[in-house]
């Protein structure tokens, strides 16, 4: 079996943390298995838990609009994953022990998909992958280097829905991603707005 499919099988039956008791469906992630761009969110919400797919609710709709503006499609350019694969009850933030239990899956997904660029959507993704003390408001919009990959922290789409005035900054971050994509993946990449 393809190793990514092996991880999917493990996630679908995982009981390594207590989130397994309240989830309906683990959300493994989806996209091109060799995607040049990986997008990492926090964890499934209500609709994702029901569907077993990442970013299918309101945040997902906004994320799709952002991808469209970047010239990215879910099945060709990106792979979407989360810090925890099972929904935290009432959409609370995942706890440290839950993140620690789940992160090894994400590390393996990153190795296998091998993206050049990682987009961290929001505080939990930034803290989970890079540093528990990091602040999204301070680090967003700046390239970080992590395990030989370019990492761009930006706001979570749900933050943009709550505070539309943050959208201007978020678009600046995504323009940097488009520039980096042209530099490292495809100089001819077309996007409508940048
Ligand atoms: N929010 C996230 O962080 N991840 C999802 O998959 C959906 C909403
Ligand atoms: Fe396993 Fe991760 Fe789900 Fe916890 S959140 S049960 S570690 S897949």
């Amino acid at each position: 079996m393809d190793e990514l499919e092996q991880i999917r099988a493990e996630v679908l039956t995982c009981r390594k943390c207590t989130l397994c008791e309240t989830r309906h469906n683990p959300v493994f992630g989806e996209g091109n298995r060799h995607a040049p761009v990986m997008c990492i969110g926090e964890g499934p919400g209500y609709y994702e838990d029901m569907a077993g797919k990442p970013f299918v609710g309101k945040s997902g709709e906004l994320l799709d609009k952002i991808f469209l503006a970047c010239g990215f499609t879910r099945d060709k350019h990106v792979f979407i994953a989360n810090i925890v694969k099972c929904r935290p009850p009432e959409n609370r933030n995942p706890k440290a022990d839950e993140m620690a239990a789940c992160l090894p899956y994400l590390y393996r997904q990153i190795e296998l998909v091998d993206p050049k660029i990682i987009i961290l959507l929001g505080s939990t993704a930034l803290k989970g992958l890079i540093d528990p003390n990091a602040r999204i408001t301070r680090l967003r919009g700046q390239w970080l280097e992590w395990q030989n990959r370019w990492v761009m922290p930006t706001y979570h789409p749900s933050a943009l829905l709550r505070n539309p005035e943050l959208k201007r900054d978020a678009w600046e971050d995504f323009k940097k991603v488009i520039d980096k994509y042209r530099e490292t993946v495809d100089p001819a990449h077309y996007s409508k707005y940048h």
Side-chain angles (χ1 to χ4, degrees):
M1 200 195 300
D2 174 77
E3 201 179 330
L4 205 63
E5 289 311 307
Q6 171 64 37
I7 305 170
R8 184 199 303 274
E10 288 173 41
V11 165
L12 289 183
T13 56
C14 180
R15 304 193 67 82
K16 288 189 198 292
C17 84
T18 51
L19 294 179
C20 72
E21 291 166 12
T22 46
R23 73 174 180 225
H24 291 93
N25 296 290
V27 177
F28 171 74
E30 67 177 16
N32 177 352
R33 65 123 25 260
H34 300 294
V37 181
M38 185 130 155
C39 257
I40 301 176
E42 172 173 326
Y46 174 86
Y47 292 101
E48 292 77 20
D49 176 61
M50 285 298 162
K53 292 177 198 278
F55 285 97
V56 292
K58 281 265 173 273
S59 291
E61 257 172 52
L62 178 52
L63 189 60
D64 282 337
K65 282 189 195 161
I66 296 171
F67 286 158
L68 190 67
C70 294
F72 294 157
T73 59
R74 281 200 190 207
D75 57 338
K76 182 160 177 226
H77 305 81
V78 301
F79 190 96
I80 306 175
N82 281 303
I83 295 288
V84 293
K85 313 299 192 208
C86 302
R87 183 192 181 207
E90 314 301 327
N91 297 348
R92 65 163 170 73
N93 291 338
K95 296 178 181 168
D97 61 323
E98 295 159 353
M99 294 199 271
C102 211
L103 272 168
Y105 294 126
L106 182 63
Y107 295 146
R108 288 163 66 197
Q109 286 175 308
I110 294 171
E111 286 240 320
L112 291 168
V113 175
D114 197 21
K116 288 259 192 306
I117 298 167
I118 295 176
I119 302 170
L120 298 176
L121 299 171
S123 169
T124 299
L126 174 64
K127 288 172 191 267
L129 197 71
I130 303 293
D131 172 1
N133 297 314
R135 298 249 163 234
I136 191 71
T137 45
R138 210 171 77 77
L139 289 188
R140 63 141 280 274
Q142 298 183 43
W143 285 113
L144 310 175
E145 223 188 312
W146 181 81
Q147 297 194 350
N148 266 323
R149 303 177 203 284
W150 292 105
V151 175
M152 175 57 69
T154 188
Y155 294 118
H156 193 283
S158 67
L160 304 180
L161 290 170
R162 280 196 308 273
N163 290 315
E165 69 274 18
L166 298 179
K167 283 184 182 174
R168 184 184 294 265
D169 280 348
W171 179 236
E172 293 302 315
D173 304 347
F174 277 95
K175 285 199 286 191
K176 290 181 185 172
V177 170
I178 298 167
D179 291 339
K180 188 66 78 185
Y181 189 92
R182 291 198 180 110
E183 255 173 67
T184 60
V185 182
D186 177 11
H189 179 71
Y190 174 77
S191 80
K192 201 165 174 185
Y193 300 107
H194 179 68

